[in-house]
């Protein structure tokens, strides 16, 4: 098992784009296959990262996190480096999919790293990345989250 704190520290204080690249690098370093789900949020390109560990059935268990961060664009009080929201969850999701990689499972396991979950000045509605995932893939096969 890899220590989780170094992952959180590496992600803290970075932009969403930097964090997305770092998640891909973490998955690459562990040999975990993933796919990108690109979409556009108005004029901005964005993407979710989906690491899939096939199981014996098509039923899915989802391990969810988001790599974007709220930088306190409204005021300095709410500014944060993104360590707790949500780098800690990213670190856990990377390690969970890594631990289960060579373990037979009944359900397919998906670690999904969403983009655009935080509220920003140009997106007052949160959870845009997860909405894009559900819109494209649905939830019919989801057994648990």
């Amino acid at each position: 098992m890899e220590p989780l704190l170094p992952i959180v520290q590496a992600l803290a204080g970075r932009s969403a784009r930097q964090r997305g690249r770092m998640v891909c690098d973490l998955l690459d370093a562990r040999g975990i296959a993933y796919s990108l789900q690109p979409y556009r949020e108005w004029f901005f390109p964005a993407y979710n990262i989906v690491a899939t560990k096939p199981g014996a059935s098509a039923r899915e268990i989802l391990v969810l996190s988001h790599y974007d961060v709220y930088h306190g664009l409204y005021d300095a009080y709410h500014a944060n480096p993104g360590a707790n929201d949500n780098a800690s969850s990213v670190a856990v999701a990377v390690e969970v999919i890594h631990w289960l990689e060579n373990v037979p499972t009944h359900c397919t396991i998906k670690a999904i790293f969403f983009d655009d979950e935080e509220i920003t000045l140009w997106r007052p509605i949160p959870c845009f990345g997860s909405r894009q995932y559900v819109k494209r893939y649905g939830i019919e096969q989801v057994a648990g989250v």
Side-chain angles (χ1 to χ4, degrees):
M1 177 176 93
E2 297 287 325
L4 301 180
L5 185 57
I7 296 172
V8 175
Q9 291 170 327
L11 292 169
R14 308 268 191 236
S15 72
R17 297 290 69 85
Q18 291 170 324
R19 290 161 66 105
R21 286 190 296 277
M22 291 174 77
V23 170
C24 293
D25 290 346
L26 286 167
L27 295 170
D28 286 336
R30 287 160 177 74
I32 299 168
Y34 61 90
S35 61
L36 300 179
Q37 180 201 356
Y39 60 90
R40 282 206 169 280
E41 179 195 2
W42 289 303
F43 302 108
F44 305 102
Y47 59 92
N48 294 324
I49 303 164
V50 183
T52 303
K53 188 259 177 223
S57 79
R59 299 289 288 164
E60 300 173 345
I61 295 177
L62 308 181
V63 180
L64 307 178
S65 65
H66 66 91
Y67 65 85
D68 67 316
V69 63
Y70 175 69
H71 284 294
L73 297 174
Y74 298 114
D75 58 70
Y77 176 78
H78 290 98
N80 69 72
N84 291 328
D85 187 11
N86 194 18
S88 54
S89 181
V90 168
V92 170
V94 167
E95 290 307 312
V96 166
I97 200 76
H98 180 62
W99 293 337
L100 295 174
E101 188 175 28
N102 296 314
V103 176
T105 58
H106 177 72
C107 291
T108 293
I109 311 296
K110 285 187 176 180
I112 307 172
F113 307 88
F114 295 117
D115 197 354
D116 296 323
E117 293 297 287
E118 298 287 2
I119 294 173
T120 65
L121 290 173
W122 58 86
R123 184 181 8 87
I125 301 170
C127 305
F128 200 75
S130 54
R131 290 171 196 257
Q132 290 296 315
Y133 178 85
V134 170
K135 182 178 174 181
R136 182 171 299 169
Y137 298 107
I139 58 170
E140 293 76 26
Q141 292 298 324
V142 175
V145 178

